[in-house]
Amino acid sequence: MKAMLLSLMLLGAAPPGAAPSSLPPEALGAPPVVDASPTAWSCTIDTLRAGKECVFEAEVPPAGAPNADVENANIKLLQDASRALCTEAVSNARDGQPDAKLVTVCERKYAAVVGRCGIEGGTPVVDSKGRFSPAARACYRALSTVLQDVQLMATVASSCCECAARSQCPGHGEACYADVSRQQAGPAALACLDERCHDACSMMLPSSASLPRPAPARGSQRTGSASL
């Protein structure tokens, strides 16, 4: 018993830091190892693509004076990402079927946002690990909103607007995607979509009773003066 107590006392008197150095990395007493890779919560292109909530934890230098080279690099990075995201969003929502016109709409919407996302070149938008910086928070949210809008258009309006373009309905083209997905198509467009594209547009058309009907031709109207 005395020998055991003596051994414990000698271990307790060992120089600090001597024992941990001999422990394997997986031992409980080993020094902590820092993992600097992005966490599952970091805001990245992947979280933007998936629409996940995330944390802005990039490691970037403090914002400095505006720098044209940094700003151009920020904009180019976001433009390259937007092309891939637009194509993927439209294709995934349509089960692999492309819609070149909607991709163009998406890229134009992204370009309008990306043009305001350079952060004036004061700091990089993302760090070396692909994590969005806290200064890019508003930019990230704006990009996410565009992507969600385009995913909605691809899901509910794409097939309808393709038919509208083939049928030359009023309001066809790029404006059709926003109008149909928001149910803001005009009376003439609705009447044409119901008549020529009913199957493709049925999900977004109002009830038949609410659809506008063309007014009768003036020549077919009768007056009551002949019966007097």
Side-chain angles (χ1 to χ4, degrees):
M1 185 68 177
K2 290 182 179 180
M4 183 179 296
L5 290 173
L6 180 60
S7 299
L8 291 174
M9 291 175 64
L10 291 174
L11 287 173
S21 63
S22 62
L23 293 173
E26 63 272 13
L28 292 176
V33 178
V34 177
D35 182 3
S37 61
T39 70
W41 297 101
S42 298
C43 293
T44 64
I45 293 296
D46 287 336
T47 61
L48 181 64
R49 176 187 289 111
K52 294 180 179 178
E53 290 298 321
C54 58
V55 178
F56 295 89
E57 58 177 10
E59 296 176 356
V60 294
N67 185 307
D69 291 338
V70 175
E71 182 173 14
N72 290 336
N74 285 342
I75 291 175
K76 183 179 186 306
L77 182 148
L78 294 175
Q79 285 177 336
D80 291 344
S82 69
R83 295 188 186 98
L85 290 173
C86 286
T87 302
E88 288 177 10
V90 173
S91 179
N92 291 342
R94 288 167 51 83
D95 296 327
Q97 296 297 318
D99 184 342
K101 189 178 293 294
L102 183 53
V103 171
T104 300
V105 172
C106 178
E107 290 181 354
R108 185 171 295 120
K109 286 177 171 289
Y110 260 119
V113 173
V114 168
R116 304 191 298 270
C117 281
I119 318 180
E120 297 182 349
T123 185
V125 171
V126 300
D127 66 6
S128 59
K129 298 180 177 67
R131 301 175 295 190
F132 277 81
S133 68
R137 187 188 306 271
C139 176
Y140 180 95
R141 297 300 184 194
L143 294 172
S144 178
T145 298
V146 169
L147 195 59
Q148 291 172 15
D149 287 346
V150 170
Q151 288 170 335
L152 175 64
M153 293 178 190
T155 301
V156 305
S158 189
S159 297
C160 179
C161 290
E162 285 177 332
C163 180
R166 292 193 301 269
S167 304
Q168 292 296 301
C169 286
H172 70 84
E174 293 186 6
C176 175
Y177 293 93
D179 291 344
V180 170
S181 62
R182 297 171 186 167
Q183 296 187 322
Q184 294 178 345
L190 286 175
C192 182
L193 294 177
D194 183 52
E195 179 182 354
R196 304 177 187 177
C197 302
H198 184 83
D199 290 343
C201 303
S202 59
M203 184 170 63
M204 302 305 296
L205 287 172
S207 62
S208 298
S210 303
L211 285 169
R213 300 300 177 191
R218 296 185 63 181
S220 64
Q221 294 179 347
R222 297 180 180 179
T223 62
S225 57
S227 61
L228 295 178

